[in-house]
Amino acid sequence: MGPMEEKLKSQLEKIKLPNEEKQQQARVLLDGLFKPVAGLGRLEELLIQIAGIQDSIQLEFRKKAIIVMCADNGVVEEGVSQTDQQITAMVTSNMVTGQSSVCRMCKVVGADVIPVDVGVAADIHTPGLRVHKLAYGTKNMKLGPAMTREQAIEAIYVGMETVKELKGQGYRILGTGEMGIGNTTTSSAIASILLKQPVEVVTGRGAGLTKEGISHKVEVIKEAIRINEPDKDDPIDILSKLGGFDIAGLVGVFLGGALYQVAIVIDGVISGVAALLAKQLCKEASHYMVPSHLGKEPASKLLMDALELTPIIHGELALGEGTGAAFLFPMLDMALTVYQMDETFEDYDVKPYERYQETI
């Protein structure tokens, strides 16, 4: 084990569970409001969870952002995507200038978009882009490991340090996004190993493959797994051999959320894979993960089940970029306005509702 991995292990050992006392206080507060108990359903559970994460019943969502890890994948040369790698650079640049889908959505909900070049296969000179480029894309995983173990750990650190920096700037809730042509191939490969499922079960159309395209994609993934023989009990080995810098960076975001006590919203299947890798590296990290939607990719529900999380939104979304996480932000904001209401049953001298079944 190298020095960077030893340091990572040491940092993960510092992660503790969210504050249960604050969660209980938030639950009591919600139950005392002049409304039916658990009237906001799962959204109340999320508010309670976040109270523990933020270590306060005074919840803070005003400053929020989507971290978008951007990187290319060498496996694209196998024809597993409808488009080529130049799209990654184009969309990454558009994120910086506010022209991508997630940027337009975040402008509506008052969130920032933080794109990070962790491995795009081109130099992007758009001012404002965070550049932590580890390489110009990963290698072709069908021919061998996508990256070295050291590169995977470096990418994890990029994610962790990004969370640390944003926490210092006042952000208290962050969403996860990605941009990288070919990353539904890498995420399907990892999902197959983590979920112990056949490649066919966890592989979908990505950005729009034909039936023949999906069959080819499945065969490429199978060959990559056969060639690399990832150790199913070693998350970093799986990540380095079959993953991408974008996924590795997101693993770091989830671990950073747990280390620095910031709620991290999961987007779709790609960030779901990163979340499950993070959970395998540190079980406690899962308590800082907030589900948003159930994506269209086949592995989505399996990943949520493995994470023991229940998505709020069921819209068959497949846009990527963190757009599903962005959809959750206004829902949390609206739930928070109820949480912050002044009217209680005591104000009206009325007996409050009773909670007959705990939801957390």
Side-chain angles (χ1 to χ4, degrees):
M1 187 181 291
M4 282 190 68
E5 192 166 348
E6 287 279 9
K7 181 184 175 184
L8 177 62
K9 182 180 177 183
S10 175
Q11 285 184 290
L12 297 186
E13 289 173 352
K14 298 176 184 177
I15 292 174
K16 58 184 180 181
L17 293 173
N19 190 319
E20 289 188 20
E21 183 180 351
K22 297 300 181 184
Q23 290 178 330
Q24 181 59 28
Q25 290 175 2
R27 181 183 289 109
V28 170
L29 188 155
L30 277 163
D31 287 357
L33 297 177
F34 195 63
K35 65 167 185 58
V37 169
L40 292 175
R42 292 279 344 284
L43 286 165
E44 290 196 19
E45 295 179 32
L46 296 187
L47 293 177
I48 293 167
Q49 177 190 359
I50 295 170
I53 292 171
Q54 295 187 351
D55 196 19
S56 172
I57 61 170
Q58 303 298 321
L59 301 184
E60 180 56 71
F61 297 155
R62 281 177 297 179
K63 199 163 185 182
K64 46 190 175 283
I66 304 287
I67 299 173
V68 186
M69 290 292 170
C70 308
D72 276 300
N73 300 280
V75 72
V76 167
E77 69 187 31
E78 298 296 331
V80 294
S81 176
Q82 247 189 352
T83 56
D84 58 30
Q85 287 187 335
Q86 66 177 341
I87 299 298
T88 303
M90 291 170 61
V91 176
T92 300
S93 180
N94 284 346
M95 285 180 182
V96 184
T97 57
Q99 296 174 287
S100 75
S101 300
V102 72
C103 293
R104 293 174 183 273
M105 291 171 60
C106 282
K107 186 176 181 180
V108 172
V109 302
D112 296 321
V113 176
I114 314 290
V116 182
D117 177 359
V118 72
V120 179
D123 288 316
I124 303 171
H125 301 290
T126 309
L129 177 65
R130 293 172 182 241
V131 181
H132 297 280
K133 197 190 296 286
L134 299 174
Y136 289 89
T138 54
K139 295 181 179 179
N140 184 349
M141 69 179 188
K142 185 185 174 186
L143 305 178
M147 66 188 93
T148 66
R149 190 177 185 91
E150 291 72 22
Q151 284 177 319
I153 295 169
E154 284 185 66
I156 288 172
Y157 266 107
V158 170
M160 293 175 68
E161 288 300 307
T162 301
V163 173
K164 181 181 180 180
E165 181 181 342
L166 294 178
K167 171 76 178 285
Q169 294 173 8
Y171 290 91
R172 291 296 178 267
I173 184 166
L174 299 168
T176 48
E178 37 62 39
M179 182 59 225
I181 299 303
N183 60 12
T184 59
T185 299
T186 54
S187 58
S188 295
I190 294 173
S192 176
I193 302 299
L194 294 181
L195 299 171
K196 300 179 176 62
Q197 293 287 338
V199 175
E200 293 87 346
V201 171
V202 297
T203 305
R205 294 181 180 275
L209 290 175
T210 62
K211 184 177 179 180
E212 292 75 19
I214 295 174
S215 296
H216 173 63
K217 183 175 176 180
V218 166
E219 291 307 312
V220 169
I221 293 171
K222 285 182 176 179
E223 181 64 11
I225 292 172
R226 187 189 71 79
I227 288 289
N228 286 291
E229 298 182 324
D231 181 350
K232 62 181 177 58
D233 297 317
D234 183 347
I236 295 179
D237 188 64
I238 298 168
L239 173 62
S240 63
K241 288 178 176 177
L242 302 176
F245 295 129
D246 50 354
I247 295 174
L250 290 176
V251 171
V253 170
F254 288 113
L255 295 175
L259 185 61
Y260 301 112
Q261 295 179 286
V262 178
I264 307 294
V265 182
I266 303 170
D267 182 33
V269 68
I270 297 160
S271 63
V273 162
L276 190 52
L277 283 167
K279 181 179 180 180
Q280 291 209 351
L281 285 167
C282 176
K283 187 176 180 180
E284 290 78 10
S286 64
H287 295 273
Y288 293 81
M289 300 173 187
V290 178
S292 62
H293 75 108
L294 188 65
K296 197 172 183 179
E297 287 287 307
S300 295
K301 187 176 188 309
L302 294 170
L303 286 165
M304 288 296 106
D305 289 346
L307 289 164
E308 300 181 85
L309 297 173
T310 304
I312 300 294
I313 303 163
H314 294 256
E316 296 191 2
L317 304 176
L319 189 52
E321 300 182 20
T323 50
F327 270 117
L328 186 68
F329 283 159
M331 298 178 71
L332 287 173
D333 285 339
M334 287 185 283
L336 184 60
T337 63
V338 175
Y339 179 86
Q340 294 172 334
M341 69 189 288
D342 295 326
E343 294 84 1
T344 67
F345 284 93
E346 288 185 1
D347 295 329
Y348 293 93
D349 196 24
V350 175
K351 182 181 177 182
Y353 290 103
E354 294 182 35
R355 182 184 286 269
Y356 290 111
Q357 182 179 354
E358 295 293 339
T359 56
I360 282 188

